[in-house]
């Protein structure tokens, strides 16, 4: 998502960490919804289980008001690793790809859908792998309050969780669930970033939209809807694998088949409503913060 100044054809690049910073702000706001989604996905009863509102009320009633922010340190650490890498790498890959699409005058053409998709899937996979340890701790801390007292891990914070997980389960524990997590990150990145770029590009082609807050809001809202739907089954599998105390066999596809067979097809979409209610605002806030950060950055750079 580079921008071009009015007095030069060379696009300005944003710092690699911008996406991670914007994601952290958005994640802090939407964390209670993310925790609710995890609790719903860890419910292995047949069918869809309790609704989002009842689940959230149950958390507050049984564990206290502050419990809705259980695991916030791990959530922020996850964004600092996973989102920083996927956003930053996506932009850098797009910039590299655009260098091969210059016309005779040296103007850079826009990447098409397939070019954007390749950049998003590759950067998503890398982000998912880098952020996997923090994601495990995040899931465990969010689900801890639901477990019997004797089964709780009681991580003090994200770094305590990483240290204890390594010491008690070995280094290999840091890669637990990495396959579904990488798959999810690939689809999430494609669903969010490609959808956002495509929606924004097409809205700007119409006479009714300008490059402003309204366009950013609508583009990111639609991108959140696409990403949530695409990632729902993988998200359920990822949460089950990372939160389980038992060794999981059969791989991601085997887990998907098992959930569908034992709990019904729609169990693959457990937590969809809170996932969208969480991911929708998070996607909107992330891209709006990111766009505003870029505006400030570009103004600063062009004045120098």
């Amino acid at each position: 998502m580079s921008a071009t100044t009015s007095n030069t054809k060379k696009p300005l690049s944003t710092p690699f960490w911008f996406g991670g910073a914007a994601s952290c702000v958005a994640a802090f706001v939407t964390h209670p919804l993310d925790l609710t989604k995890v609790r719903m996905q860890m419910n292995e009863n047949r069918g869809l289980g309790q609704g989002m509102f009842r689940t959230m009320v149950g958390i507050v009633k049984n564990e206290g008001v502050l419990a809705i922010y259980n695991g916030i340190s791990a959530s922020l650490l996850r964004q600092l690793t996973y989102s920083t890498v996927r956003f930053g790498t996506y932009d850098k890959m797009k910039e590299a790809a655009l260098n091969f699409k210059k016309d005779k005058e040296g103007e850079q053409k826009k990447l098409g859908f397939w070019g954007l998709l390749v950049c998003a899937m590759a950067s998503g996979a890398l982000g998912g792998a880098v952020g996997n340890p923090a994601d495990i701790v995040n899931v465990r801390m969010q689900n801890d309050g639901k477990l019997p007292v004797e089964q709780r891990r009681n991580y003090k914070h994200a770094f305590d969780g990483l240290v204890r997980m390594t010491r008690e389960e070995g280094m290999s524990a840091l890669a637990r669930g990495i396959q579904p997590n990488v798959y999810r990150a690939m689809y999430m990145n494609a669903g969010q970033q490609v959808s956002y770029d495509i929606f924004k590009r097409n809205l700007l082609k119409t006479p009714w939209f300008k490059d402003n807050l309204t366009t950013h809001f609508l583009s990111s809202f639609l991108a959140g809807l696409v990403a949530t739907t695409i990632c729902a089954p993988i998200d359920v599998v990822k949460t089950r694998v990372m939160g389980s105390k038992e060794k999981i066999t059969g791989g991601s596809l085997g887990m998907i088949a098992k959930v569908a067979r034992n709990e019904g097809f729609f169990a693959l979409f457990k937590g969809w409503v809170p996932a969208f209610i969480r991911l929708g605002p998070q996607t909107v806030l992330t891209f709006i913060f990111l766009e505003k950060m870029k505006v400030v950055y570009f103004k600063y750079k062009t004045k120098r």
Side-chain angles (χ1 to χ4, degrees):
M1 296 177 196
S2 57
T4 305
T5 63
S6 58
N7 59 351
T8 179
K9 292 181 178 180
K10 184 179 180 180
L12 290 174
S13 300
T14 53
F16 191 86
W17 54 269
F18 264 29
S23 296
C24 281
V25 178
F28 184 84
V29 175
T30 60
H31 185 78
L33 294 168
D34 191 32
L35 183 143
T36 303
K37 178 207 68 172
V38 168
R39 293 292 182 87
M40 292 178 72
Q41 289 175 337
M42 290 299 292
N43 174 24
E44 299 188 14
N45 295 325
R46 189 173 183 83
L48 294 177
Q50 291 189 115
M52 178 196 69
F53 181 73
R54 289 183 62 187
T55 301
M56 185 173 288
V57 169
I59 293 171
V60 174
K61 182 179 179 180
N62 298 326
E63 304 169 43
V65 176
L66 295 180
I68 61 175
Y69 270 93
N70 282 347
I72 186 62
S73 62
S75 180
L76 294 177
L77 179 61
R78 176 177 178 268
Q79 297 302 330
L80 287 172
T81 51
Y82 160 67
S83 288
T84 297
V85 171
R86 71 184 180 101
F87 272 95
T89 306
Y90 179 67
D91 275 352
K92 298 306 178 186
M93 289 184 68
K94 284 200 304 181
E95 290 173 19
L98 285 170
N99 289 330
F100 294 95
K101 294 178 69 64
K102 291 182 179 179
D103 59 23
K104 295 180 180 179
E105 288 74 35
E107 289 282 1
Q108 288 183 325
K109 297 181 179 180
K110 294 180 179 179
L111 286 180
F113 172 77
W114 293 110
L116 293 173
L117 185 63
V118 169
C119 293
M121 297 285 272
S123 57
L126 183 60
V130 171
N132 197 73
D135 210 356
I136 298 173
V137 177
N138 184 39
V139 169
R140 290 181 174 185
M141 291 182 71
Q142 289 180 350
N143 192 57
D144 222 29
K146 182 183 176 182
L147 298 174
V149 176
E150 65 275 8
Q151 294 183 21
R152 294 178 185 176
R153 296 181 173 92
N154 295 316
Y155 295 154
K156 297 177 182 177
H157 46 73
F159 293 105
D160 177 57
L162 290 173
V163 171
R164 282 184 51 193
M165 184 166 57
T166 304
R167 184 174 64 242
E168 296 168 7
E169 304 171 46
M171 289 294 294
S172 61
L174 298 176
R176 182 166 191 163
I178 194 169
Q179 183 186 43
N181 202 27
V182 167
Y183 287 159
R184 178 190 179 277
M186 292 169 66
Y187 287 108
M188 177 63 73
N189 216 37
Q192 278 188 327
Q193 303 220 60
V194 176
S195 294
Y196 180 80
D197 283 347
I198 295 297
F199 283 130
K200 180 182 174 182
R201 182 183 302 175
N202 284 283
L203 288 175
L204 292 176
K205 288 180 180 179
T206 71
W208 305 290
F209 292 92
K210 305 296 181 182
D211 193 359
N212 55 24
L213 181 62
T214 300
T215 302
H216 302 159
F217 174 84
L218 184 56
S219 300
S220 55
F221 178 83
L222 294 172
L225 179 62
V226 171
T228 304
T229 305
I230 290 174
C231 294
I234 301 174
D235 205 20
V236 171
V237 170
K238 183 208 76 168
T239 302
R240 294 284 181 89
V241 172
M242 289 183 172
S244 176
K245 285 181 170 290
E246 301 175 357
K247 185 176 180 180
I248 303 297
T249 59
S252 300
L253 293 178
M255 175 64 80
I256 289 175
K258 179 182 177 181
V259 171
R261 181 175 62 251
N262 296 340
E263 304 170 42
F265 174 77
F266 287 106
L268 293 171
F269 293 88
K270 279 182 177 179
W272 189 94
V273 172
F276 175 66
I277 293 176
R278 191 272 305 180
L279 187 60
Q282 186 184 39
T283 303
V284 169
L285 291 172
T286 297
F287 281 109
I288 286 178
F289 286 136
L290 188 56
E291 293 281 8
K292 294 302 180 184
M293 290 168 66
K294 288 179 178 181
V295 169
V296 173
Y297 180 76
F298 293 145
K299 285 183 179 179
Y300 169 74
K301 293 293 286 187
T302 52
K303 287 180 181 179
R304 293 184 64 183

